[in-house]
Amino acid sequence: MAMTTLACIIRPSTPPSRLIPLARAVEAAGIEEIWLWEDCFQSGGISAASAILAATERARVGIGVMPTPLRNVALTAMEVATVDGMFPGRLIPGIGHGVQSWMSQVGAKAASPLTLMREYATALSALLAGERVTTSGKYVSLDDVALDWPPARPVPVPVAATGPKSLRVAGEVGAGVVLEGSVGLPGLPATLERIAEGRAAAGKDGLDGFPVIQFVSGGTGPGATERLRAEVNGAGSDVADDEQLAGYAVWGDAQALADGVRRFGAAGADTVAVYATDDDPDFERLVAVLGEANELLGKDS
């Protein structure tokens, strides 16, 4: 079994002035992937990812995710291809249907987010594979569009999903799936089953080669469990004790964090992307302990 990848998330609530120092700290700790996401109306995913890639040497940067209603698919393809051309193979450009209330707020809400996702992911993947695309869908229309500077190799595009229908679509058109923290260990079995159904419907075999990226709350130091329990319950779960909390979060010293990552890996997560609570008093300390946990995980391979 391949080692589960431990990644670190820098939340969009982080001030832009802090992004590069924190990203450099993550890379210095030996963590190979840094993940971001776009929340209205905070940091932009492509701009933040580009700056972090330029300021680091090896780390891969995932965006989990960019909301499709906000972005014309051709523009997304241009931006992703440009970044990949500068930093080949280091950008993981995830897409999702966005938070519907925010999409309404900016006048971009789609009547059928699933239709949009199916059309968008299909067109984006084709453009990033260097294809010339003509399509006329409900939401995505392209007339003889091809990138002048396509990636040297196709760039995989994972899709975020939560509900059963969106999970099936992710399996059908995505090159991986991004799962928010509310899924957790209790939700992973049914989640993976729905994804597999979508892949089967598209004539694809199983989940081999289909990365599952699970976001997980994490913490270390005094008060970590209290902060994490408040975070997890605030996101809609109902955990009353540490045993239940372990289904959604990892915490403690390096060994405990490594053991937590292993739990999620054994349940089917290929990447466990850990994010601190917004009220964590020392993100750099968490990064350092995650780096130690990553070393322990490396001994598994």
Side-chain angles (χ1 to χ4, degrees):
M1 178 183 295
M3 186 186 85
T4 304
T5 297
L6 170 59
C8 184
I9 295 172
I10 302 177
R11 296 172 71 137
S13 53
T14 302
S17 61
R18 294 279 291 144
L19 290 175
I20 288 176
L22 291 178
R24 285 174 171 160
V26 173
E27 183 174 69
I31 297 170
E32 298 176 355
E33 286 187 8
I34 300 166
W35 280 79
L36 314 167
W37 77 72
E38 287 188 328
D39 270 354
C40 293
F41 300 94
Q42 299 179 330
S43 300
I46 287 288
S47 53
S50 299
I52 288 171
L53 287 164
T56 55
E57 296 180 1
R58 302 170 306 280
R60 296 183 297 276
V61 178
I63 307 175
V65 291
M66 298 177 282
T68 55
L70 283 176
R71 299 171 171 274
N72 182 281
V73 69
L75 178 60
T76 301
M78 290 162 58
E79 290 194 314
V80 170
T82 299
V83 175
D84 187 75
M86 293 186 288
F87 309 101
R90 292 178 60 197
L91 178 68
I92 308 169
I95 57 175
H97 54 58
V99 176
Q100 297 307 294
S101 61
W102 286 335
M103 298 303 101
S104 294
Q105 194 174 354
V106 298
K109 183 178 179 180
S112 176
L114 295 180
T115 299
L116 170 59
M117 180 56 68
R118 184 176 283 107
E119 294 178 0
Y120 197 105
T122 301
L124 179 59
S125 296
L127 290 169
L128 293 175
E131 298 177 20
R132 184 170 296 276
V133 181
T134 295
T135 184
S136 180
K138 183 175 182 180
Y139 298 104
V140 175
S141 293
L142 299 172
D143 182 9
D144 195 33
V145 175
L147 297 173
D148 281 11
W149 299 105
R153 289 177 296 278
V155 177
V157 179
V159 171
T162 50
K165 292 180 180 179
S166 63
L167 289 166
R168 292 187 186 99
V169 171
E172 178 186 340
V173 300
V177 67
V178 179
L179 303 175
E180 62 182 30
S182 62
V183 175
L185 292 175
L188 263 175
T191 291
L192 298 179
E193 188 175 340
R194 299 293 87 75
I195 294 168
E197 289 170 358
R199 287 181 60 76
K204 302 171 184 176
D205 293 331
L207 295 179
D208 288 342
F210 184 88
V212 175
I213 301 107
Q214 172 71 68
F215 287 6
V216 177
S217 294
T220 191
T225 55
E226 290 78 8
R227 293 192 302 272
L228 290 168
R229 188 175 294 109
E231 171 98 15
V232 168
N233 286 336
S237 300
D238 184 17
V239 300
D241 55 35
D242 287 359
E243 183 177 356
Q244 291 176 320
L245 183 61
Y248 300 93
V250 294
W251 69 91
D253 61 13
Q255 185 64 62
L257 288 170
D259 289 343
V261 171
R262 291 188 187 101
R263 286 197 304 273
F264 282 89
D270 299 292
T271 296
V272 176
V274 177
Y275 59 94
T277 61
D278 265 333
D279 61 348
D280 192 305
D282 193 347
F283 181 78
E284 289 88 343
R285 177 180 178 180
L286 175 60
V287 168
V289 180
L290 285 172
E292 295 171 9
N294 195 51
E295 292 182 10
L296 295 174
L297 291 169
K299 297 176 182 179
D300 293 346
S301 59

